[in-house]
Amino acid sequence: MAAVLLLRGSARLLHAHWKVHAAGTAMVCSRAMASKTPVGFVGLGNMGNPMAKNLVKHGYPVVAYDVFPEACKEFQDSGAQVMDSPADVAERADRIITMLPSSPNAIDVYTGANGILKKVKKGSLLIDSSTIDPAISKELAKAVEKMGAVFMDAPVSGGVGAARAGNLTFMVGGVEQEFAAAKELLTCMGSNVIYCGEVGTGQAAKICNNMLLAISMIGTAEAMNLGIRLGLDPKLLAKILNMSSGRCWSSDTYNPVPGVMEGVPSANNYQGGFGTTLMAKDLGLAQISATNTKTPIPLGSLAHQMYRMMSAKGYALKDFSSVFQFLREEENL
């Protein structure tokens, strides 16, 4: 009798082990299959274009949409599918990345008449890499949740060069249990993917970063301009700054003075890169957040005013490092 019970017990253990093993195998197979399913991408601008291309390079079939047909053409030429609306993207893909210029654009793409939420599938993962108001990210997350899907904010840092090289930094906010699924895609486009907390914290980190970037770029431009007026060679001054305590990303990687570095917007009449109007927009978001939290940001506020002024004086479409050129012209008035 004891032997029979022992055999029955062994059979139950073996059956339980098989069930666990089978479940684990099914999960692995599910993940492997998910990796090969199409990924949606909405917003093929200066940043979205190279980001989507890196997904293609990593073997993901991309289903794309952009409001400007010309932005979609090269994706069609490379074999990627281009849809007629964000809703159509949602119908074809259950993992979607959006990269949009502003909060109103994000609201329209997600909740508009032809927005993602019109045809989103339950269980879909929606990752917004736009830089928008953290409060808007939270509102979108609620709307997405009502549709049975998951929303995460994942704004980026690094600029167009890093987007092309796949070296972006992603700051991710959302449900922590979904972070691994988001990271699978984001690591195809970035070298740093950092979980920041609940929805909106990714945007908060990005806003703080861009405020500091704007301040440091203005400071670098002022220092370089002063040094040049004092008779210093700009390349020599940049070399000294970059081995001294004034060194920063704006001085050693993205120098705003023409002729100091190659491969940056200042070497190409400030074309490409991160536009002045976009920097003004991000600084506006920082100003709103500072007001809401009663946080003093005197230098952030001054930077905001300077980039708004530049946008109104012909620099709107130039890279934000054109603040150096702006200062040079202002001194001649």
Side-chain angles (χ1 to χ4, degrees), residues 95-209:
R95 294 178 295 174
I96 303 171
I97 297 166
T98 53
M99 188 59 165
L100 307 160
S102 66
S103 296
N105 296 125
I107 292 169
D108 184 57
V109 161
Y110 279 92
T111 66
N114 293 305
I116 289 170
L117 297 189
K118 291 297 181 183
K119 295 183 179 180
V120 70
K121 302 173 186 176
K122 286 189 177 182
S124 292
L125 175 61
L126 311 179
I127 304 170
D128 183 35
S129 287
S130 319
T131 299
I132 62 175
D133 188 336
I136 298 298
S137 290
K138 292 176 181 178
E139 288 178 17
L140 290 177
K142 289 177 183 176
V144 169
E145 187 179 0
K146 287 179 182 177
M147 302 301 294
V150 176
F151 177 91
M152 303 188 86
D153 60 307
V156 305
S157 177
V160 173
R164 290 186 186 130
N167 292 329
L168 291 167
T169 293
F170 286 89
M171 294 151 270
V172 186
V175 179
E176 190 169 8
Q177 290 87 337
E178 301 292 340
F179 177 61
K183 190 174 182 180
E184 177 196 332
L185 296 177
L186 299 181
T187 49
C188 297
M189 302 174 285
S191 53
N192 300 297
V193 182
I194 302 163
Y195 181 68
C196 300
E198 63 184 19
V199 169
T201 56
Q203 298 294 350
K206 174 63 188 291
I207 288 169
C208 292
N209 178 80

Side-chain angles (χ1 to χ4, degrees), residues 10-11 18 22 25 69 77 92 112 116 142 145 157 180 184 189 193 219 226-227 231 240 251 258 267 321:
S10 298
W18 180 85
T25 303
D77 294 342
R92 296 297 303 274
I116 289 170
K142 289 177 183 176
E145 187 179 0
S157 177
E184 177 196 332
M189 302 174 285
V193 182
L226 176 60
I240 293 168
S251 69
S321 61

Side-chain angles (χ1 to χ4, degrees), residues 220 223-224 232 235-252:
T220 299
M224 292 295 296
L232 285 167
K235 284 189 175 181
L236 174 64
L237 177 55
K239 181 179 178 181
I240 293 168
L241 291 176
N242 293 334
M243 61 176 62
S244 304
S245 55
R247 175 180 173 270
C248 63
W249 188 83
S250 296
S251 69
D252 73 356

Side-chain angles (χ1 to χ4, degrees), residues 36-333:
K36 299 180 187 300
T37 58
V39 175
F41 206 105
V42 179
L44 300 171
N46 287 341
M47 293 292 290
N49 182 303
M51 288 168 67
K53 284 181 178 177
N54 279 325
L55 283 172
V56 173
K57 285 178 185 176
H58 281 79
Y60 289 93
V62 172
V63 179
Y65 170 78
D66 192 277
V67 69
F68 297 107
E70 59 270 24
C72 300
K73 189 177 185 308
E74 66 176 291
F75 276 86
Q76 281 181 312
D77 294 342
S78 66
Q81 288 184 297
V82 173
M83 310 309 291
D84 293 328
S85 71
D88 292 338
V89 172
E91 191 174 35
R92 296 297 303 274
D94 59 10
R95 294 178 295 174
I96 303 171
I97 297 166
T98 53
M99 188 59 165
L100 307 160
S102 66
S103 296
N105 296 125
I107 292 169
D108 184 57
V109 161
Y110 279 92
T111 66
N114 293 305
I116 289 170
L117 297 189
K118 291 297 181 183
K119 295 183 179 180
V120 70
K121 302 173 186 176
K122 286 189 177 182
S124 292
L125 175 61
L126 311 179
I127 304 170
D128 183 35
S129 287
S130 319
T131 299
I132 62 175
D133 188 336
I136 298 298
S137 290
K138 292 176 181 178
E139 288 178 17
L140 290 177
K142 289 177 183 176
V144 169
E145 187 179 0
K146 287 179 182 177
M147 302 301 294
V150 176
F151 177 91
M152 303 188 86
D153 60 307
V156 305
S157 177
V160 173
R164 290 186 186 130
N167 292 329
L168 291 167
T169 293
F170 286 89
M171 294 151 270
V172 186
V175 179
E176 190 169 8
Q177 290 87 337
E178 301 292 340
F179 177 61
K183 190 174 182 180
E184 177 196 332
L185 296 177
L186 299 181
T187 49
C188 297
M189 302 174 285
S191 53
N192 300 297
V193 182
I194 302 163
Y195 181 68
C196 300
E198 63 184 19
V199 169
T201 56
Q203 298 294 350
K206 174 63 188 291
I207 288 169
C208 292
N209 178 80
N210 274 24
M211 183 177 74
L212 178 58
L213 174 60
I215 293 168
S216 68
M217 181 57 78
I218 294 170
T220 299
E222 288 185 359
M224 292 295 296
N225 190 34
L226 176 60
I228 291 167
R229 286 175 66 88
L230 290 171
L232 285 167
D233 175 76
K235 284 189 175 181
L236 174 64
L237 177 55
K239 181 179 178 181
I240 293 168
L241 291 176
N242 293 334
M243 61 176 62
S244 304
S245 55
R247 175 180 173 270
C248 63
W249 188 83
S250 296
S251 69
D252 73 356
T253 303
Y254 211 82
N255 199 284
V257 181
V260 169
M261 295 182 68
E262 295 181 359
V264 294
S266 61
N268 188 34
N269 194 30
Y270 301 104
Q271 298 303 304
F274 186 62
T276 292
T277 50
L278 290 175
M279 179 56 85
K281 181 263 294 183
D282 288 359
L283 289 166
L285 294 175
Q287 189 70 61
I288 292 168
S289 297
T291 300
N292 291 340
T293 57
K294 297 182 174 62
T295 305
I297 53 165
L299 294 183
S301 296
L302 287 172
H304 184 212
Q305 292 305 315
M306 181 168 285
Y307 278 104
R308 286 181 65 190
M309 192 163 27
M310 287 173 62
S311 295
K313 290 195 173 185
Y315 289 82
L317 301 180
K318 289 182 178 288
D319 181 75
F320 80 106
S321 61
S322 62
V323 65
F324 173 78
Q325 188 181 62
F326 176 72
L327 290 170
R328 298 280 284 184
E329 290 183 0
E330 287 295 296
E331 72 188 18
N332 293 324
L333 294 178

